[in-house]
């Protein structure tokens, strides 16, 4: 068997708008929910991030030097439609249009995420985020504007970053107000359904408006290992995997809710209200491939899913640190074998191409006395994960489209912690001091250039 990765295999990086752009009040942008959400004590705010809004030429050049042929970024909804329900901001459109042109000129294929946890603050205040079907329709309108303006050049799209998180945390959907008479769990799963309908509307629209473009379903995936060897513990892990991510993947791939999911919700009185046409729409809106983020596996002790609390609370009670795996300072276990497991499981279930869209490890770093960051641990992490991916492809027959890392140039973490760095390039700022935001390639920069430039052949 040919053990070389296919020509055109994608290598690159993923980011979100709020973790990179800065320029929070420039270019006609409206107020995004991130601009007004407090960050934890000791962390930065989102106003500057890494100032990519003003520095993307330099960042694209660094990506080109690392032999990227793919870059996934998110559009900030409030740059395009400042309040979400008003007119299009042409300055915002131009910003992304120029970015796309420059990426293509550097030989880098762009992928757009329409929503990476953010939305115009006005939509949260006026409509309660994705609790409202009006916001579902406003999202479809926003998607349409993006397809009209960028669809001629952008052929890879996704609706929601890590869509399954909309059934885990209500904050991701920005739908904080629980309607009177509804339990928190019923509200959470109603909103997750609304988000699914928003995803389907935008997917159908893309296929109609830009027939040569592809829509990727996107989830964050982790596998669960039983801490004990009991059959009950094993079953709990399988259920956790299904509830946490696979029910969303199933709808993205087949257009139908799986029976375990509808049964779980109905048994607890949490089944969402459907509108006429929802089920037909889901069937008509399947995706073209399955994307996911993977950072770590989890290990669970024995447990069950009770009838009072959402599934995630039940899982959280049972997570323990796996003694067989090293973890980052943030307790995220490094598990390359887990990536092979996920790739196999996801591909074999649906026989749809799969795409690793986020992978990486966070580390606390500073320039040393020579002005360097010698991040051998990061090289090892990516090498192990690329090797595991190759095994999934060459030993298990998985059709994988690419290996895309998270935050290739340091960006603040999802909770705006600058100290948690993922990049091949150091950005000179801290949580409390903006310094000069200078970009400094780390040791892993040269490794990435070699690994990606050799299409995954040279991982030494
Ligand atoms: C993913 C998100 O969950 O993981 C990113 O898409 C996030 O927004 C990334 O930054 C890494 O997580 P964290 O919390 O370490 O930044």
């Amino acid at each position: 068997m040919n053990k070389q990765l296919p020509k055109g295999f994608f290598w690159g990086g993923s980011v979100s708008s709020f973790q990179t752009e800065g320029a929070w009040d420039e270019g006609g942008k409206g107020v995004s929910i991130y601009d007004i959400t407090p960050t934890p004590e000791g962390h930065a705010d989102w106003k500057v991030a890494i100032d990519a809004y003003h520095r993307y030429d330099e960042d694209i050049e660094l990506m080109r030097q690392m032999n990227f042929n793919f870059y996934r970024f998110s559009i900030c909804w409030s740059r395009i439609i400042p309040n979400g329900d008003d007119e299009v901001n042409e300055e915002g459109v131009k910003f992304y249009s120029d970015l796309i042109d420059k990426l293509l000129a550097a030989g880098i294929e762009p992928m757009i995420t329409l929503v990476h946890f953010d939305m115009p603050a006005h939509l949260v205040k006026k409509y309660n985020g994705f609790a409202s079907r009006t916001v579902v329709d406003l999202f479809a309108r926003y998607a349409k504007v993006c397809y009209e303006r960028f669809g001629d050049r952008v052929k890879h799209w996704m609706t929601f970053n890590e869509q399954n998180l909309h059934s885990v945390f209500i904050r991701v959907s920005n739908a904080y107000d629980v309607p009177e008479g509804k339990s928190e769990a019923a509200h959470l799963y109603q909103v997750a359904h609304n988000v699914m309908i928003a995803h389907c509307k935008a997917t159908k629209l893309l296929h109609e408006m830009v027939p040569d473009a592809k829509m990727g379903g996107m989830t964050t995936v982790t596998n669960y290992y039983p801490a004990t060897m009991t059959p009950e513990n094993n079953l709990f892990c399988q259920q956790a995997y299904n509830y946490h991510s696979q029910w969303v993947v199933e709808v993205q791939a087949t257009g139908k809710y799986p029976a375990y999911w509808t049964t779980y919700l109905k048994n607890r009185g949490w089944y969402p209200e459907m509108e006429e046409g929802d089920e037909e729409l889901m069937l008509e809106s399947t995706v073209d491939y399955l994307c996911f983020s993977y950072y770590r596996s989890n290990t669970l002790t024995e447990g069950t899913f009770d009838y009072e609390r959402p599934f995630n609370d039940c899982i959280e009670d049972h997570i323990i640190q796996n003694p067989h795996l090293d973890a980052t300072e943030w307790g995220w276990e490094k598990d390359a074998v887990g990536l092979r497991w996920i790739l196999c499981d996801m591909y074999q279930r649906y026989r749809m191409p799969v795409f690793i869209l986020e992978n990486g490890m966070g580390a606390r770093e500073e320039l040393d006395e020579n002005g360097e960051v010698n991040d051998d641990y990061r090289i090892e992490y990516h090498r192990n994960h690329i090797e595991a991916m190759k095994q999934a492809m060459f030993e298990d027959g998985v059709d994988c489209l690419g290996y895309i890392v998270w935050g290739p140039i340091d960006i603040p973490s999802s909770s705006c912690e600058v100290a948690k760095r993922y990049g091949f390039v150091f950005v000179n700022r801290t949580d409390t001091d903006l310094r000069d935001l200078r970009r400094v390639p780390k040791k892993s920069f040269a490794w990435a250039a070699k690994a990606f430039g050799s299409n995954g052949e040279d991982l030494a």
Side-chain angles (χ1 to χ4, degrees):
M1 186 185 178
N2 174 15
K3 294 200 171 175
Q4 282 178 340
L5 292 170
K7 215 169 153 256
F9 189 81
F10 290 123
W11 301 98
S14 273
V15 295
S16 72
S17 55
F18 66 93
Q19 289 167 282
T20 50
E21 286 174 11
W24 70 287
D25 58 353
E26 291 179 48
K29 174 177 163 294
V31 180
S32 156
I33 191 66
Y34 272 89
D35 299 328
I36 55 169
T37 307
T39 53
E41 183 74 33
H43 291 192
D45 59 29
W46 298 109
K47 292 191 165 60
V48 177
I50 61 161
D51 195 31
Y53 186 84
H54 298 112
R55 297 172 193 240
Y56 69 73
D57 284 320
E58 185 185 350
D59 291 346
I60 291 174
E61 175 52 22
L62 287 164
M63 292 192 269
R64 199 193 57 73
Q65 288 173 19
M66 284 189 280
N67 289 310
F68 281 20
N69 60 7
F70 195 90
Y71 184 59
R72 167 192 166 226
F73 61 93
S74 77
I75 288 186
C76 174
W77 189 342
S78 47
R79 272 196 203 287
I80 300 289
I81 304 176
N83 287 315
D85 58 1
D86 50 349
E87 292 313 306
V88 172
N89 169 36
E90 292 301 334
E91 230 183 310
V93 171
K94 184 173 180 329
F95 167 71
Y96 291 111
S97 195
D98 291 350
L99 172 64
I100 291 162
D101 286 343
K102 289 186 175 171
L103 286 166
L104 289 169
I108 300 173
E109 183 91 31
M111 175 184 236
I112 287 178
T113 308
L114 289 168
V115 166
H116 195 119
F117 308 153
D118 66 328
M119 69 165 57
H122 172 73
L123 297 184
V124 183
K125 281 190 223 143
K126 182 161 179 195
Y127 305 97
N128 197 18
F130 277 105
S132 157
R133 291 287 286 229
T134 305
V135 171
V136 170
D137 291 333
L138 289 169
F139 169 76
R141 171 181 174 244
Y142 157 60
K144 186 164 179 274
V145 170
C146 292
Y147 302 156
E148 277 164 0
R149 304 307 186 91
F150 313 127
D152 56 337
R153 288 156 291 157
V154 179
K155 302 300 166 190
H156 297 272
W157 292 81
M158 80 174 45
T159 52
F160 293 92
N161 175 58
E162 301 182 331
Q163 194 185 328
N164 55 316
L165 289 188
H166 290 267
S167 62
V168 175
F169 307 116
I170 201 67
R171 66 178 151 77
V172 176
S173 323
N174 296 296
Y176 296 97
D177 297 336
V178 182
E180 237 181 272
K182 227 181 189 151
S183 69
E184 281 189 18
H187 176 59
L188 177 67
Y189 300 126
Q190 178 66 54
V191 172
H193 173 70
N194 294 355
V195 168
M196 183 59 82
I197 294 303
H199 160 79
C200 290
K201 286 191 176 197
T203 300
K204 193 171 173 217
L205 206 56
L206 179 73
H207 288 149
E208 287 164 3
M209 290 177 60
V210 197
D212 62 337
K214 306 272 186 221
M215 179 61 83
M218 164 61 162
T219 45
T220 182
V221 184
T222 177
N223 51 340
Y224 294 97
Y225 299 127
T228 72
M229 287 176 279
T230 64
E232 288 78 9
N233 200 170
N234 204 41
L235 178 69
F236 183 58
C237 287
Q238 191 199 351
Q239 290 172 317
Y241 180 65
N242 282 340
Y243 298 156
H244 182 260
S245 58
Q246 291 310 296
W247 76 266
V248 173
V249 182
E250 178 94 12
V251 186
Q252 291 170 342
T254 70
K256 277 189 186 168
Y257 282 126
Y260 63 74
W261 182 243
T262 49
T263 309
Y264 170 84
L265 295 179
K266 281 180 181 164
N267 281 344
R268 290 160 176 80
W270 299 336
Y271 192 70
E273 286 160 33
M274 303 253 176
E275 286 190 6
E276 212 185 312
D278 281 1
E279 282 173 329
E280 292 74 12
L281 175 70
M282 281 160 57
L283 277 174
E284 291 165 358
S285 316
T286 53
V287 298
D288 300 297
Y289 49 71
L290 298 170
C291 314
F292 64 90
S293 63
Y294 174 81
Y295 293 90
R296 60 170 300 181
S297 54
N298 277 289
T299 301
L300 301 180
T301 58
E302 248 183 51
T304 52
F305 290 93
D306 62 44
Y307 275 61
E308 285 76 43
R309 297 172 309 154
F311 70 81
N312 195 55
D313 294 359
C314 304
I315 296 174
E316 288 286 319
D317 287 352
H318 295 277
I319 295 180
I320 59 158
Q321 214 66 44
N322 188 322
H324 304 287
L325 295 170
D326 283 340
T328 69
E329 185 184 325
W330 288 264
W332 294 20
E333 286 105 331
K334 302 180 217 168
D335 179 13
V337 175
L339 177 63
R340 176 173 175 182
W341 191 97
I342 298 278
L343 283 164
C344 286
D345 181 76
M346 209 180 267
Y347 177 69
Q348 307 299 351
R349 278 182 195 231
Y350 309 107
R351 290 299 181 97
M352 224 179 224
V354 289
F355 200 165
I356 304 163
L357 271 191
E358 290 182 26
N359 182 235
M361 60 163 290
R364 199 177 291 277
E365 292 164 329
E366 207 19 289
L367 296 174
D368 67 15
E369 61 281 9
N370 303 316
E372 295 170 357
V373 179
N374 288 300
D375 52 346
D376 292 294
Y377 40 86
R378 181 168 291 109
I379 295 173
E380 190 191 350
Y381 179 97
H382 287 292
R383 180 191 296 127
N384 291 345
H385 283 76
I386 293 171
E387 272 166 359
M389 173 194 77
K390 285 166 115 181
Q391 279 162 358
M393 294 174 76
F394 302 142
E395 305 294 330
D396 310 321
V398 171
D399 179 5
C400 178
L401 299 176
Y403 179 79
I404 309 301
V405 306
W406 176 251
I409 297 170
D410 284 347
I411 53 178
S413 77
S414 59
S415 57
C416 209
E417 187 179 13
V418 176
K420 189 180 188 188
R421 298 170 182 270
Y422 283 85
F424 300 129
V425 176
F426 180 87
V427 174
N428 193 32
R429 68 159 293 180
T430 70
D431 278 294
T432 48
D433 184 353
L434 283 176
R435 295 184 181 163
D436 58 7
L437 292 159
R438 185 162 43 100
R439 276 59 167 152
V440 184
K442 303 179 192 175
K443 185 173 178 186
S444 57
F445 180 91
W447 177 85
K450 191 162 55 91
F452 300 173
S454 65
N455 201 23
E457 286 297 298
D458 188 354
L459 300 178

